[in-house]
Amino acid sequence: MSSISLRKEKVKVVLTKKNLTGVRAKVGLVLDISGSMRRLYKVGEVQEAVERIAAVASQFDDDGSLDIWVYDNEFARLPEVTEHNLLGYVEKNILNNGEIHKFGRNDEPQVMADVMKKYTVEEPNDEPVFLIFINDGGCKPGIKKFIVESSTKPIFWQFVGIGDANFDVLRKLDTMEGRFIDNASFFHFEDIEKVTDEQLYDNLLNEFPSWLKEAKEKGII
């Protein structure tokens, strides 16, 4: 059995546990490519993360595709990830792509604006968007504006912190005021390389079910 097939099975177990079987959603992934992420790209850990999250997309999305962005102080939208281009995706589309700005400083607000533009302006849809945002610390306080603005939209932001840097901005997500609905969650793994698929999926899908329920009640989806 291939690793993607095994991971799909693991996702199915978590979906069943969290009453998410049969839920349709677009899945997006935003990857930090600031300088401090260089090692995780070089050792293949980011490729591994893309493969792990592609398994989630395969269960939620009709065509199983994963929308993807990278950002440092600039950002880029990349070709969507499918099972056909998954192997070697990061090397081909990110590391060997000379058009992508990489290993600079991190600036989250501009990539968040583009995520919102894609899902609310270019491709407006009532279908929920499950947006996974991987960052290794030092998130800009400017993210608050976009989280508040998108709280009336069908987008749920799942932030994943990795490493041992400062996550003060993301830790305040749960108490952020001014939102129509609580539309963002954060968890942190110091060493994502040591986290099992089961642990990752359990954490990723922890708050999405309650957001879905409230978003339906409030007419967002």
Side-chain angles (χ1 to χ4, degrees):
M1 206 179 205
S2 70
S3 61
I4 183 83
S5 302
L6 282 169
R7 283 182 168 138
K8 282 184 191 174
E9 292 306 313
K10 289 171 182 172
V11 173
K12 278 181 191 167
V13 170
V14 177
L15 293 181
T16 303
K17 191 166 87 175
K18 297 184 186 287
N19 294 319
L20 288 169
T21 313
V23 168
R24 297 282 94 196
K26 281 299 295 174
V27 182
L29 173 63
V30 175
L31 292 167
D32 186 341
I33 195 166
S34 59
S36 49
M37 287 286 292
R38 189 187 295 264
R39 186 188 71 83
L40 291 180
Y41 278 90
K42 299 290 189 207
V43 300
E45 202 50 51
V46 175
Q47 172 68 31
E48 185 85 353
V50 170
E51 291 179 19
R52 288 167 141 193
I53 289 161
V56 177
S58 75
Q59 300 305 300
F60 277 146
D61 190 83
D62 282 336
D63 59 6
S65 64
L66 173 65
D67 296 328
I68 191 160
W69 286 259
V70 290
Y71 80 97
D72 54 4
N73 46 296
E74 298 182 18
F75 72 88
R77 272 193 218 183
L78 301 179
E80 64 182 20
V81 176
T82 67
E83 283 189 43
H84 305 295
N85 69 359
L86 181 58
L87 288 176
Y89 180 93
V90 167
E91 191 159 330
K92 181 185 173 198
N93 293 285
I94 302 175
L95 294 177
N96 293 342
N97 184 344
E99 292 178 14
I100 289 179
H101 198 272
K102 32 184 114 58
F103 309 129
R105 303 179 317 279
N106 59 303
D107 184 4
E108 292 77 22
Q110 56 177 346
V111 73
M112 292 177 76
D114 195 61
V115 168
M116 285 179 62
K117 181 178 163 191
K118 178 178 172 69
Y119 295 124
T120 66
V121 179
E122 296 171 14
E123 301 169 18
N125 198 317
D126 288 339
E127 194 173 71
V129 176
F130 182 48
L131 198 289
I132 299 159
F133 198 115
I134 296 180
N135 161 271
D136 75 341
C139 229
K140 293 272 177 76
I143 68 167
K144 179 177 178 180
K145 170 179 183 281
F146 296 96
I147 292 171
V148 170
E149 273 179 23
S150 63
S151 66
T152 57
K153 311 291 185 194
I155 303 173
F156 180 78
W157 305 85
Q158 177 60 66
F159 288 88
V160 182
I162 55 176
D164 57 1
N166 178 335
F167 295 102
D168 288 358
V169 171
L170 293 173
R171 291 190 198 285
K172 292 174 184 158
L173 284 177
D174 279 343
T175 55
M176 187 182 286
E177 294 177 351
R179 288 179 290 172
F180 183 63
I181 182 176
D182 180 354
N183 60 338
S185 177
F186 168 69
F187 64 87
H188 169 231
F189 289 130
E190 189 149 320
D191 193 347
I192 197 166
E193 294 153 270
K194 293 180 179 162
V195 173
T196 66
D197 290 340
E198 288 86 351
Q199 285 172 304
L200 179 66
Y201 297 144
D202 200 59
N203 277 273
L204 276 178
L205 297 165
N206 198 31
E207 289 199 32
F208 188 48
S210 54
W211 173 82
L212 279 173
K213 183 170 179 287
E214 194 179 348
K216 277 181 190 149
E217 287 166 0
K218 294 197 169 176
I220 294 172
I221 53 175

